Amino acid sequence: DVVMTQSPLSLPVTLGQPASISCRSSQSLVHSDGNTYLNWFQQRPGQSPRRLIYKVSNRDSGVPDRFSGSGSGTDFTLRISRVEAEDVGVYYCMQGTHWPLTFGGGTKVEIK
Amino acid sequence: EVQLVESGGDLVQPGGSLRLSCEGSGFTFSSYAMTWVRQAPGTGLEWVSSTSDSGGTTYYADSVKGRFTVSRDNSKNTLYLQMNSLRVEDTALYYCAKGKWLRDIDYWGQGTLVTVSS
């Protein structure tokens, strides 16, 4: 199985400051069809997950443009340009290139 | 508005069975792959099973293979998860989710809680 490793586990951030979450996979996420199936999800406290980013860098409809995704191969990053109070929660990366689908362990974003 | 509403979660004894349901609305259910993901209390997300739009292709996590069966009734816009031989470690909030293709998840339901305990 592809192991997804996120860092850091916890990310205290000052409001208005940037934040960055890393996600590394144990093997390349480039599919034979040429796509890289790497998604990012946000789970606010008490809520179900919500997809923010799909295929590495494509932002979902309604997602603020302060969220961006980048990376390739085995190394990916989610960036929040200026953290707002509503961004508090746990962020997960997920790979859909290889079966079984696997998630990272999560990064908890909190306000300092 | 897209909605996925799970039901069927309950307290069950080890070795017991349960069937979860997930009714979709606000989108063309038969055109989407569907997935079950679970989250044990205070932990992260674990993929359980996925099925193609027709139900003709299914995948399972090793941890549930042979015990869980995913199915769907597109005429009722409903996804199912038949869970047999339940174990304490199956205790979790079970989410259903949809995706444009089999390896995709783009929207999640609110979840239904399964507790396996004697």
Side-chain angles (χ1 to χ4, degrees):
Chain A
D1 297 2
V2 176
V3 177
M4 305 295 289
T5 303
Q6 285 185 234
S7 61
L9 249 59
S10 176
L11 184 55
V13 187
T14 301
L15 286 173
Q17 293 301 301
S20 181
I21 300 170
S22 170
C23 175
R24 291 197 165 99
S25 57
S26 60
Q27 55 185 277
S28 174
L29 298 186
V30 181
H31 193 270
S32 56
D33 66 9
N35 289 304
T36 300
Y37 294 98
L38 187 284
N39 294 343
W40 288 98
F41 297 93
Q42 174 196 59
Q43 187 173 32
R44 290 172 170 153
Q47 295 187 12
S48 55
R50 165 201 182 196
R51 195 177 70 177
L52 300 175
I53 302 284
Y54 63 96
K55 287 196 270 185
V56 181
S57 59
N58 297 277
R59 206 166 33 244
D60 271 281
S61 173
V63 174
D65 61 7
R66 64 179 180 274
F67 289 94
S68 64
S70 64
S72 63
T74 62
D75 202 347
F76 305 92
T77 301
L78 176 71
R79 289 188 176 87
I80 310 173
S81 59
R82 294 172 306 280
V83 171
E84 297 189 6
E86 66 179 17
D87 300 335
V88 164
V90 181
Y91 292 77
Y92 297 93
C93 59
M94 185 208 89
Q95 68 82 21
T97 297
H98 306 281
W99 293 100
L101 308 185
T102 48
F103 291 88
T107 294
K108 187 173 185 177
V109 171
E110 55 188 16
I111 304 301
K112 273 185 192 173
Chain B
E1 180 197 0
V2 172
Q3 279 199 308
L4 293 170
V5 179
E6 301 94 334
S7 61
D10 205 347
L11 170 62
V12 61
Q13 290 190 338
S17 297
L18 213 53
R19 187 176 86 154
L20 306 184
S21 300
C22 169
E23 184 172 357
S25 60
F27 65 102
T28 305
F29 186 84
S30 59
S31 297
Y32 284 79
M34 297 297 294
T35 289
W36 289 99
V37 176
R38 67 186 181 185
Q39 187 169 34
T43 70
L45 303 168
E46 180 190 13
W47 171 76
V48 172
S49 179
S50 295
T51 180
S52 60
D53 52 4
S54 67
T57 301
T58 58
Y59 291 92
Y60 297 94
D62 284 347
S63 57
V64 307
K65 204 173 291 182
R67 300 188 299 122
F68 290 11
T69 303
V70 64
S71 62
R72 62 191 296 164
D73 185 340
N74 285 343
S75 69
K76 295 181 179 177
N77 290 347
T78 303
L79 172 74
Y80 302 100
L81 186 67
Q82 178 65 45
M83 310 164 68
N84 298 331
S85 303
L86 282 161
R87 305 168 179 166
V88 170
E89 54 265 34
D90 294 320
T91 294
L93 186 61
Y94 283 72
Y95 295 104
C96 81
K98 71 175 189 62
K100 286 201 185 89
W101 49 85
L102 202 46
R103 55 187 77 248
D104 178 47
I105 294 177
D106 65 17
Y107 187 83
W108 302 61
Q110 291 303 304
T112 187
L113 183 62
V114 173
T115 303
V116 184
S117 173
S118 54

